[in-house]
Amino acid sequence: MTKTTITITRPDDWHLHMRDGEVLKHVAPFTAKQFARAIIMPNLNPPVTTVVKAVEYLDRILGAVEGTDFEPLMTLYLTDNTSADEIIAARKSCFIKGVKLYPAGATTNSDAGVTDIRLCDAALEEMQKAGLPLLVHGEVTTPEIDVFDREKVFIDKILQPLTLRFPELKIVFEHITTKEAADFVLQAGNNIAATITPHHLLYNRNAMFQGGLRPHNYCLPVLKRDIHQQALLAVIRSGNKQFFLGTDSAPHARHKKESACGCAGIFSAHAAIEIYTSIFEQQNALDKLEAFASFNGPDFYGLPRNTNSITLIKEDWQVPDHYTLGDDTLVPFLAGQTINWKLAEKN
Ligand code: DOR
Ligand code: ZN
Protein backbone atom coordinates (compact mmCIF):
# COMPACT_ATOMS: atom_id res chain seq x y z
CA MET A 1 0.00 0.00 0.00
CA THR A 2 1.31 3.47 -0.77
CA LYS A 3 1.85 5.63 2.25
CA THR A 4 0.01 8.91 2.67
CA THR A 5 1.79 10.11 5.79
CA ILE A 6 5.11 9.33 7.33
CA THR A 7 6.36 10.21 10.81
CA ILE A 8 10.05 10.10 11.59
CA THR A 9 12.30 11.25 14.40
CA ARG A 10 13.08 14.92 13.83
CA PRO A 11 16.00 15.05 11.36
CA ASP A 12 19.23 17.08 11.44
CA ASP A 13 21.16 18.65 8.59
CA TRP A 14 24.81 17.63 8.83
CA HIS A 15 26.08 20.17 6.27
CA LEU A 16 24.60 23.63 5.92
CA HIS A 17 25.61 27.13 4.79
CA MET A 18 23.63 29.61 6.86
CA ARG A 19 25.65 32.69 5.84
CA ASP A 20 25.53 35.86 7.90
CA GLY A 21 23.84 39.25 8.18
CA GLU A 22 20.69 39.83 6.14
CA VAL A 23 20.91 36.49 4.29
CA LEU A 24 21.15 34.57 7.57
CA LYS A 25 17.94 36.18 8.79
CA HIS A 26 16.12 35.08 5.64
CA VAL A 27 17.37 31.53 5.31
CA ALA A 28 17.73 30.34 8.94
CA PRO A 29 13.97 29.93 9.61
CA PHE A 30 13.65 27.46 6.70
CA THR A 31 16.12 25.11 8.37
CA ALA A 32 14.78 25.64 11.89
CA LYS A 33 11.32 24.62 10.70
CA GLN A 34 12.49 21.22 9.45
CA PHE A 35 15.58 20.27 11.39
CA ALA A 36 16.47 20.12 15.09
CA ARG A 37 20.16 20.78 14.51
CA ALA A 38 22.55 21.59 11.70
CA ILE A 39 26.29 21.54 11.22
CA ILE A 40 27.06 25.13 10.26
CA MET A 41 29.73 25.68 7.63
CA PRO A 42 32.40 28.22 8.60
CA ASN A 43 33.13 29.65 5.13
CA LEU A 44 32.12 33.21 5.93
CA ASN A 45 34.16 36.13 4.74
CA PRO A 46 36.34 36.32 6.82
CA PRO A 47 36.12 32.64 7.78
CA VAL A 48 35.33 31.28 11.25
CA THR A 49 38.86 30.23 12.17
CA THR A 50 38.75 30.52 15.97
CA VAL A 51 36.53 29.49 18.86
CA VAL A 52 35.96 33.18 19.65
CA LYS A 53 34.69 33.84 16.12
CA ALA A 54 32.52 30.71 16.30
CA VAL A 55 30.82 31.80 19.51
CA GLU A 56 30.09 35.22 18.01
CA TYR A 57 28.65 33.57 14.91
CA LEU A 58 26.62 31.18 17.07
CA ASP A 59 25.08 34.19 18.80
CA ARG A 60 24.05 35.74 15.49
CA ILE A 61 22.48 32.46 14.35
CA LEU A 62 20.57 32.10 17.60
CA GLY A 63 19.27 35.63 17.04
CA ALA A 64 18.01 34.59 13.60
CA VAL A 65 16.14 31.53 14.92
CA GLU A 66 14.74 33.09 18.07
CA GLY A 67 11.53 31.48 19.23
CA THR A 68 12.55 28.04 17.95
CA ASP A 69 14.53 25.28 19.68
CA PHE A 70 16.89 24.90 16.72
CA GLU A 71 20.45 24.10 17.78
CA PRO A 72 23.36 25.22 15.57
CA LEU A 73 26.35 22.87 15.69
CA MET A 74 29.38 25.01 15.03
CA THR A 75 32.55 24.22 13.09
CA LEU A 76 35.98 25.79 12.71
CA TYR A 77 37.61 26.59 9.39
CA LEU A 78 40.96 24.82 9.12
CA THR A 79 43.90 26.85 7.81
CA ASP A 80 47.61 26.17 7.36
CA ASN A 81 48.06 27.95 10.70
CA THR A 82 45.39 26.34 12.88
CA SER A 83 47.22 25.50 16.11
CA ALA A 84 46.85 22.48 18.36
CA ASP A 85 45.85 24.96 21.08
CA GLU A 86 42.89 26.17 19.02
CA ILE A 87 41.73 22.57 18.70
CA ILE A 88 42.07 22.08 22.45
CA ALA A 89 40.01 25.24 22.96
CA ALA A 90 37.44 23.89 20.50
CA ARG A 91 37.20 20.60 22.36
CA LYS A 92 36.81 22.38 25.69
CA SER A 93 34.14 24.69 24.27
CA CYS A 94 31.82 21.70 23.74
CA PHE A 95 29.82 23.55 21.08
CA ILE A 96 32.35 23.04 18.25
CA LYS A 97 31.43 19.76 16.59
CA GLY A 98 33.86 19.61 13.69
CA VAL A 99 36.69 21.26 11.79
CA LYS A 100 36.24 21.94 8.09
CA LEU A 101 38.93 21.32 5.51
CA TYR A 102 38.63 23.44 2.40
CA PRO A 103 41.53 22.91 0.04
CA ALA A 104 42.58 26.50 -0.79
CA GLY A 105 40.65 27.75 -3.82
CA ALA A 106 38.25 24.79 -4.00
CA THR A 107 35.02 26.74 -3.60
CA THR A 108 33.20 29.79 -2.17
CA ASN A 109 35.37 31.63 0.42
CA SER A 110 38.04 28.98 0.44
CA ASP A 111 41.03 31.26 -0.28
CA ALA A 112 42.14 31.00 3.35
CA GLY A 113 41.87 27.21 3.17
CA VAL A 114 44.61 24.63 3.38
CA THR A 115 47.44 24.71 0.84
CA ASP A 116 49.09 21.49 2.05
CA ILE A 117 47.39 19.12 4.48
CA ARG A 118 50.75 18.23 6.06
CA LEU A 119 50.89 21.76 7.47
CA CYS A 120 47.88 20.78 9.61
CA ASP A 121 49.46 17.73 11.26
CA ALA A 122 49.56 19.23 14.78
CA ALA A 123 45.89 20.22 14.58
CA LEU A 124 44.89 16.85 13.09
CA GLU A 125 46.80 15.00 15.80
CA GLU A 126 44.86 16.90 18.44
CA MET A 127 41.55 16.30 16.64
CA GLN A 128 42.27 12.59 16.44
CA LYS A 129 42.94 12.58 20.18
CA ALA A 130 39.80 14.58 20.95
CA GLY A 131 37.51 12.62 18.62
CA LEU A 132 36.69 15.90 16.86
CA PRO A 133 35.69 15.11 13.26
CA LEU A 134 37.41 16.54 10.19
CA LEU A 135 34.79 17.60 7.65
CA VAL A 136 36.25 17.37 4.20
CA HIS A 137 35.53 19.24 0.99
CA GLY A 138 37.04 16.49 -1.12
CA GLU A 139 38.34 18.10 -4.29
CA VAL A 140 41.84 18.84 -5.49
CA THR A 141 42.30 22.33 -6.85
CA THR A 142 45.07 21.70 -9.35
CA PRO A 143 43.90 23.58 -12.46
CA GLU A 144 45.19 20.82 -14.79
CA ILE A 145 42.82 18.27 -13.26
CA ASP A 146 39.50 18.03 -15.05
CA VAL A 147 36.75 19.52 -12.90
CA PHE A 148 34.77 16.25 -13.07
CA ASP A 149 37.77 14.24 -11.76
CA ARG A 150 38.66 16.42 -8.79
CA GLU A 151 36.92 14.29 -6.18
CA LYS A 152 38.39 11.04 -7.45
CA VAL A 153 41.91 12.50 -7.54
CA PHE A 154 41.42 13.93 -4.05
CA ILE A 155 40.69 10.44 -2.72
CA ASP A 156 43.86 9.01 -4.22
CA LYS A 157 46.20 11.92 -3.52
CA ILE A 158 44.95 13.37 -0.23
CA LEU A 159 42.27 11.37 1.56
CA GLN A 160 43.65 7.86 1.35
CA PRO A 161 47.14 8.91 2.54
CA LEU A 162 45.54 11.01 5.29
CA THR A 163 43.62 8.04 6.64
CA LEU A 164 46.84 6.03 6.73
CA ARG A 165 48.65 8.75 8.69
CA PHE A 166 45.71 9.34 11.07
CA PRO A 167 43.94 5.97 11.23
CA GLU A 168 41.71 6.93 14.18
CA LEU A 169 40.72 10.39 12.92
CA LYS A 170 36.98 10.78 12.47
CA ILE A 171 36.31 12.06 8.97
CA VAL A 172 33.12 13.11 7.23
CA PHE A 173 33.59 13.06 3.47
CA GLU A 174 31.14 15.87 2.69
CA HIS A 175 28.67 15.97 -0.20
CA ILE A 176 30.03 12.94 -2.03
CA THR A 177 29.32 12.93 -5.75
CA THR A 178 31.02 9.88 -7.22
CA LYS A 179 30.98 6.10 -7.15
CA GLU A 180 34.63 6.25 -6.12
CA ALA A 181 33.75 8.30 -3.05
CA ALA A 182 30.92 5.95 -2.09
CA ASP A 183 33.22 2.94 -2.54
CA PHE A 184 35.95 4.61 -0.50
CA VAL A 185 33.60 5.13 2.45
CA LEU A 186 32.15 1.64 2.13
CA GLN A 187 35.58 0.01 2.46
CA ALA A 188 36.71 2.37 5.24
CA GLY A 189 36.36 1.86 8.97
CA ASN A 190 33.50 3.17 11.09
CA ASN A 191 35.43 6.36 11.80
CA ILE A 192 34.74 7.50 8.22
CA ALA A 193 31.33 8.64 7.04
CA ALA A 194 29.82 10.75 4.26
CA THR A 195 26.98 13.17 3.68
CA ILE A 196 24.85 13.14 0.53
CA THR A 197 22.91 16.14 -0.81
CA PRO A 198 19.42 16.05 -2.31
CA HIS A 199 20.69 17.51 -5.58
CA HIS A 200 23.36 14.86 -6.12
CA LEU A 201 20.70 12.19 -5.57
CA LEU A 202 18.11 13.78 -7.79
CA TYR A 203 20.24 14.99 -10.68
CA ASN A 204 23.24 14.20 -12.79
CA ARG A 205 25.28 16.66 -14.85
CA ASN A 206 22.71 16.80 -17.65
CA ALA A 207 20.64 18.98 -15.31
CA MET A 208 23.11 21.83 -15.77
CA PHE A 209 22.53 21.86 -19.52
CA GLN A 210 18.82 21.12 -19.91
CA GLY A 211 17.84 23.22 -22.94
CA GLY A 212 20.49 25.81 -22.02
CA LEU A 213 22.82 26.71 -19.20
CA ARG A 214 21.16 26.22 -15.80
CA PRO A 215 23.12 28.21 -13.22
CA HIS A 216 20.80 27.23 -10.38
CA ASN A 217 21.90 23.61 -10.76
CA TYR A 218 25.57 24.54 -10.47
CA CYS A 219 27.32 23.60 -7.25
CA LEU A 220 30.65 22.25 -6.10
CA PRO A 221 31.53 19.47 -6.27
CA VAL A 222 29.78 19.72 -9.62
CA LEU A 223 27.05 17.22 -10.58
CA LYS A 224 28.56 14.12 -12.19
CA ARG A 225 27.52 11.48 -14.73
CA ASP A 226 24.51 9.24 -14.33
CA ILE A 227 26.61 6.25 -13.16
CA HIS A 228 27.70 8.28 -10.14
CA GLN A 229 24.17 9.42 -9.35
CA GLN A 230 23.11 5.76 -9.52
CA ALA A 231 25.91 4.77 -7.12
CA LEU A 232 24.68 7.35 -4.58
CA LEU A 233 21.11 6.10 -4.94
CA ALA A 234 22.31 2.52 -4.37
CA VAL A 235 24.00 3.68 -1.17
CA ILE A 236 20.83 5.21 0.28
CA ARG A 237 18.81 2.13 -0.69
CA SER A 238 21.33 -0.05 1.15
CA GLY A 239 20.72 1.77 4.43
CA ASN A 240 24.42 1.74 5.28
CA LYS A 241 24.88 3.72 8.49
CA GLN A 242 28.06 5.47 7.35
CA PHE A 243 25.97 7.77 5.14
CA PHE A 244 23.67 10.53 6.30
CA LEU A 245 21.79 13.67 5.38
CA GLY A 246 23.67 16.88 4.59
CA THR A 247 21.93 19.32 2.30
CA ASP A 248 24.88 21.62 1.48
CA SER A 249 22.14 24.22 1.04
CA ALA A 250 24.16 27.23 -0.11
CA PRO A 251 22.19 30.40 -0.85
CA HIS A 252 23.47 33.00 -3.32
CA ALA A 253 21.45 36.00 -4.52
CA ARG A 254 19.94 35.48 -7.95
CA HIS A 255 22.24 37.98 -9.68
CA LYS A 256 25.29 36.15 -8.33
CA LYS A 257 24.08 32.91 -9.88
CA GLU A 258 22.78 34.36 -13.15
CA SER A 259 26.07 35.99 -14.03
CA ALA A 260 29.00 35.76 -16.45
CA CYS A 261 30.85 34.02 -13.62
CA GLY A 262 28.13 32.47 -11.51
CA CYS A 263 28.62 31.31 -7.91
CA ALA A 264 28.48 27.64 -6.99
CA GLY A 265 25.74 26.63 -4.60
CA ILE A 266 22.19 25.28 -4.55
CA PHE A 267 19.68 26.53 -1.99
CA SER A 268 17.55 23.61 -0.80
CA ALA A 269 16.73 24.48 2.82
CA HIS A 270 13.17 25.53 1.86
CA ALA A 271 12.18 21.93 1.09
CA ALA A 272 15.07 19.68 2.05
CA ILE A 273 13.30 16.95 4.01
CA GLU A 274 10.43 16.90 1.54
CA ILE A 275 12.82 16.41 -1.37
CA TYR A 276 14.74 13.65 0.39
CA THR A 277 11.42 11.96 1.22
CA SER A 278 10.38 12.01 -2.45
CA ILE A 279 13.70 10.55 -3.46
CA PHE A 280 13.54 7.73 -0.90
CA GLU A 281 9.98 6.96 -1.95
CA GLN A 282 10.95 6.90 -5.58
CA GLN A 283 13.72 4.44 -4.68
CA ASN A 284 11.28 2.25 -2.77
CA ALA A 285 13.35 2.95 0.31
CA LEU A 286 11.08 4.97 2.58
CA ASP A 287 11.92 2.51 5.35
CA LYS A 288 15.55 3.74 5.15
CA LEU A 289 14.74 7.46 5.38
CA GLU A 290 14.65 7.81 9.16
CA ALA A 291 18.07 6.29 9.79
CA PHE A 292 19.62 8.41 7.02
CA ALA A 293 17.96 11.63 8.16
CA SER A 294 17.79 11.22 11.93
CA PHE A 295 19.98 8.41 13.31
CA ASN A 296 23.22 7.90 11.38
CA GLY A 297 24.40 11.50 11.79
CA PRO A 298 24.07 11.83 15.57
CA ASP A 299 25.39 8.28 16.03
CA PHE A 300 28.52 9.18 14.09
CA TYR A 301 29.05 12.50 15.87
CA GLY A 302 28.43 10.88 19.26
CA LEU A 303 25.40 13.08 19.93
CA PRO A 304 21.98 11.99 21.20
CA ARG A 305 19.28 11.27 18.66
CA ASN A 306 16.39 13.73 18.71
CA THR A 307 13.42 12.62 20.76
CA ASN A 308 10.62 14.49 18.98
CA SER A 309 9.29 13.78 15.50
CA ILE A 310 7.99 15.32 12.29
CA THR A 311 5.20 14.21 10.02
CA LEU A 312 5.17 14.46 6.26
CA ILE A 313 2.00 14.24 4.22
CA LYS A 314 1.71 12.96 0.67
CA GLU A 315 0.47 16.18 -0.90
CA ASP A 316 1.54 18.11 -3.98
CA TRP A 317 2.83 21.63 -3.52
CA GLN A 318 4.58 24.00 -5.85
CA VAL A 319 7.96 25.48 -5.00
CA PRO A 320 7.91 29.28 -5.43
CA ASP A 321 9.89 30.82 -8.31
CA HIS A 322 11.88 32.77 -5.76
CA TYR A 323 12.08 33.91 -2.17
CA THR A 324 13.02 37.41 -1.03
CA LEU A 325 16.49 38.01 0.27
CA GLY A 326 16.39 41.62 1.47
CA ASP A 327 16.71 43.69 -1.68
CA ASP A 328 17.70 40.60 -3.63
CA THR A 329 15.91 37.40 -4.53
CA LEU A 330 16.87 33.80 -4.01
CA VAL A 331 16.00 31.10 -6.52
CA PRO A 332 15.44 27.82 -4.66
CA PHE A 333 16.21 24.29 -5.80
CA LEU A 334 13.32 22.97 -7.94
CA ALA A 335 11.87 26.49 -8.37
CA GLY A 336 8.40 26.33 -9.90
CA GLN A 337 8.30 22.53 -9.72
CA THR A 338 5.93 20.28 -7.82
CA ILE A 339 7.07 18.29 -4.79
CA ASN A 340 4.80 15.47 -3.69
CA TRP A 341 5.57 15.39 0.04
CA LYS A 342 4.84 18.24 2.42
CA LEU A 343 5.92 18.81 5.98
CA ALA A 344 2.78 18.89 8.15
CA GLU A 345 2.11 22.37 9.53
CA LYS A 346 1.96 21.21 13.14
CA ASN A 347 5.07 19.30 14.08
O1 DOR B 1 28.31 24.67 -4.20
C1 DOR B 1 28.89 24.99 -3.19
N1 DOR B 1 28.59 26.13 -2.53
N2 DOR B 1 29.87 24.22 -2.73
C2 DOR B 1 30.63 24.59 -1.69
O2 DOR B 1 31.51 23.84 -1.35
C3 DOR B 1 30.44 25.90 -1.04
C4 DOR B 1 29.10 26.38 -1.23
C5 DOR B 1 28.95 27.85 -0.88
O3 DOR B 1 29.42 28.24 0.21
O4 DOR B 1 28.37 28.59 -1.65
ZN1 ZN C 1 29.11 23.09 1.57
Side-chain angles (χ1 to χ4, degrees):
M1 210 182 78
T2 50
K3 279 188 184 266
T4 53
T5 71
I6 174 170
T7 296
I8 57 168
T9 299
R10 194 170 193 86
D12 305 301
D13 184 349
W14 297 95
H15 183 128
L16 177 68
H17 299 268
M18 263 205 172
R19 311 299 194 210
D20 210 346
E22 193 65 20
V23 179
L24 167 64
K25 288 187 195 127
H26 281 90
V27 301
F30 287 110
T31 294
K33 193 174 164 197
Q34 304 199 349
F35 297 101
R37 301 170 286 194
I39 284 277
I40 308 296
M41 287 297 124
N43 63 330
L44 303 183
N45 190 11
V48 183
T49 47
T50 64
V51 178
V52 170
K53 285 184 177 142
V55 78
E56 290 165 359
Y57 185 31
L58 171 64
D59 247 22
R60 299 194 295 274
I61 296 172
L62 290 174
V65 295
E66 224 177 306
T68 75
D69 54 4
F70 175 75
E71 185 188 353
L73 306 173
M74 307 307 290
T75 61
L76 288 190
Y77 184 113
L78 190 68
T79 73
D80 291 350
N81 305 312
T82 304
S83 66
D85 283 350
E86 198 63 50
I87 301 300
I88 293 168
R91 172 174 57 77
K92 287 187 180 154
S93 81
C94 288
F95 70 91
I96 305 278
K97 302 301 183 194
V99 178
K100 178 73 192 247
L101 163 62
Y102 286 108
T107 187
T108 309
N109 294 340
S110 63
D111 293 352
V114 171
T115 61
D116 178 351
I117 190 67
R118 284 182 175 269
L119 297 171
C120 303
D121 277 6
L124 294 169
E125 191 70 54
E126 208 50 57
M127 287 165 59
Q128 179 168 254
K129 235 194 285 172
L132 188 63
L134 178 71
L135 318 182
V136 174
H137 182 110
E139 289 192 288
V140 292
T141 54
T142 338
E144 302 80 70
I145 305 291
D146 189 284
V147 69
F148 292 99
D149 295 335
R150 287 181 184 175
E151 186 171 276
K152 176 180 163 9
V153 175
F154 182 89
I155 296 168
D156 299 340
K157 292 262 161 47
I158 313 284
L159 193 54
Q160 172 74 18
L162 183 69
T163 59
L164 296 178
R165 291 196 301 122
F166 295 96
E168 306 291 321
L169 182 65
K170 280 177 123 176
I171 296 176
V172 184
F173 195 167
E174 300 282 13
H175 43 53
I176 58 165
T177 66
T178 56
K179 180 174 186 313
E180 288 82 1
D183 289 345
F184 177 81
V185 175
L186 285 168
Q187 59 76 47
N190 281 342
N191 58 321
I192 301 190
T195 54
I196 309 183
T197 75
H199 42 280
H200 290 104
L201 288 168
L202 199 59
Y203 284 159
N204 58 55
R205 65 191 192 182
N206 286 346
M208 287 185 296
F209 309 105
Q210 206 85 59
L213 196 56
R214 301 281 184 164
H216 298 291
N217 290 335
Y218 170 58
C219 64
L220 286 172
V222 72
L223 294 166
K224 305 295 193 297
R225 277 180 184 279
D226 172 66
I227 53 156
H228 298 291
Q229 180 194 2
Q230 296 310 322
L232 301 183
L233 289 169
V235 158
I236 64 158
R237 284 195 306 268
S238 80
N240 186 298
K241 64 183 171 41
Q242 282 167 277
F243 299 85
F244 43 86
L245 186 159
T247 61
D248 198 15
S249 178
H252 292 277
R254 178 198 282 266
H255 73 272
K256 292 200 171 148
K257 297 281 298 169
E258 297 173 7
S259 149
C261 186
C263 292
I266 293 177
F267 175 72
S268 59
H270 62 298
I273 195 62
E274 288 121 331
I275 300 169
Y276 279 113
T277 304
S278 304
I279 294 166
F280 274 75
E281 180 188 47
Q282 208 259 329
Q283 294 298 308
N284 271 324
L286 268 182
D287 59 325
K288 305 286 186 344
L289 175 66
E290 185 176 40
F292 179 82
S294 315
F295 297 162
N296 299 348
D299 292 356
F300 181 82
Y301 275 85
L303 295 169
R305 295 176 180 180
N306 297 316
T307 50
N308 50 358
S309 60
I310 59 164
T311 295
L312 292 126
I313 304 165
K314 186 80 182 269
E315 181 186 314
D316 285 356
W317 64 285
Q318 203 187 356
V319 177
D321 288 339
H322 66 270
Y323 293 102
T324 56
L325 202 61
D327 294 339
D328 279 311
T329 58
L330 175 60
V331 178
F333 187 45
L334 304 181
Q337 297 191 43
T338 300
I339 297 180
N340 62 353
W341 283 93
K342 194 167 188 346
L343 189 66
E345 273 311 319
K346 257 199 111 24
N347 265 294

